[in-house]
Amino acid sequence: TQEAAGRIRQYYGEIKSTSRTSAILIISGTIGALLIGLGIILLLAHNWEQFSRFTRALLSFAPLVIGQGLALWVLWRKPQSSAFKEGTATFLSLMVGASIALISQTYNIPGDTGTFILTWMLLIAPIVYLMQASLPAAIYLIGITAWSGSYWDNPGKAVLFWPLAAVVMPHFIWALRQEIYTIRTTILSLVMIICVSVGAGFSLGRTWSGSWIIIFPSIYGVFYSIGCLKFSRITTNWQRPLRMIGGIGLFILALQFTFRYVWQYLGRDYYGTNRSISGINALPDH
């Protein structure tokens, strides 16, 4: 009845419906942007040695300018289209990295891989909020995870993964609140839990021996709890990766903790004989 329907709408709120056509457009637009962006990079790299330095500089900035022009056009003419916003934002994110790499190679600007990745990711972070796009946020998370991996033997730098990851947390929270049923939120959630797990291993795993026994159950427990609370109304597993991967991670860890080898290198007996580990690093294990 109309009365029952009114009560249902009042309880659940107005749910934004996503048609199959819209989902196909988002997927096709994103894949198309990735293929076009990577194709441009491949063509430029193949013919790069034949160009003069001035031509190289122009070609280095041309994809970036095109990507910015497309992004401005989408914000002006298609501000409500998720497919256009995701596709152009993904294309622009790739072109930022391509332009940095090409300019650095053309003018022999010094730097290492970590500096390049960090610069690239910081430059595309505003795109996430200007375009309200989740795929650039996923690219950003993957990038800072790779950056922390380049400093896996330097925990003092790798620990900066956490404030860098916090940059896209407002967008992640917004996606969970506003577009919980969309495929791009599912992809972002999947990338988030994978990158946080890997980033924790790079940034915290070498802080002290055995720290993973505390870190990873905590991470998977938090994600599983969020998935149970926030995604409780969803009935399909593919739409709640936080709960699914969090539960799988906790199960694997619980099984792993039943083996003796996990615990035999912990405790004061081990630290008393191992002089390479300081007392303050052994404190959390006790």
Side-chain angles (χ1 to χ4, degrees), residues 12 26 36 69 73 119 138 156 220 223 229 237 249 260 269 279 286:
Y12 286 103
I26 293 175
I36 292 172
W73 180 82
T119 304
Y220 290 127
F223 278 119
L229 295 175
N237 288 324
R260 182 175 298 177
D269 293 337
H286 287 283

Side-chain angles (χ1 to χ4, degrees), residues 89-144:
T90 302
F91 178 80
L92 179 56
S93 299
L94 292 175
M95 292 305 99
V96 170
S99 296
I100 295 174
L102 293 174
I103 288 294
S104 299
Q105 194 274 341
T106 301
Y107 293 98
N108 297 319
I109 299 175
D112 55 12
T113 303
T115 303
F116 164 70
I117 294 176
L118 182 60
T119 304
W120 181 9
M121 294 304 109
L122 291 178
L123 287 175
I124 70 172
I127 300 176
V128 176
Y129 295 99
L130 290 174
M131 305 292 292
Q132 285 294 349
S134 297
L135 290 175
I139 295 173
Y140 174 85
L141 288 170
I142 295 172
I144 62 171

Side-chain angles (χ1 to χ4, degrees), residues 26-27 29-31 34 82 85-87 89-90 93 124 128 132-142 171 183-184 187-188 191:
I26 293 175
I27 296 173
T30 303
I31 295 175
L34 286 171
S82 298
K85 289 164 68 175
E86 291 288 346
T90 302
S93 299
I124 70 172
V128 176
Q132 285 294 349
S134 297
L135 290 175
I139 295 173
Y140 174 85
L141 288 170
I142 295 172
H171 175 79
I183 188 171
R184 62 177 186 171
I187 294 174
L188 181 58
V191 173

Side-chain angles (χ1 to χ4, degrees), residues 157-239:
K157 287 186 177 181
V159 76
L160 294 176
F161 166 82
W162 298 101
L164 290 172
V167 171
V168 296
M169 283 304 298
H171 175 79
F172 180 61
I173 295 172
W174 171 84
L176 292 181
R177 290 181 175 179
Q178 302 295 328
E179 300 187 344
I180 191 172
Y181 298 99
T182 60
I183 188 171
R184 62 177 186 171
T185 301
T186 302
I187 294 174
L188 181 58
S189 301
L190 181 63
V191 173
M192 173 67 75
I193 189 171
I194 293 175
C195 289
V196 167
S197 301
V198 176
F202 288 145
S203 60
L204 302 178
R206 292 177 61 88
T207 305
W208 63 78
S209 178
S211 60
W212 66 275
I213 296 177
I214 302 173
I215 294 170
F216 288 104
S218 301
I219 291 174
Y220 290 127
V222 169
F223 278 119
Y224 181 79
S225 300
I226 294 175
C228 289
L229 295 175
K230 192 63 181 177
F231 294 81
S232 58
R233 298 174 183 174
I234 299 178
T235 58
T236 55
N237 288 324
W238 72 269
Q239 285 185 308

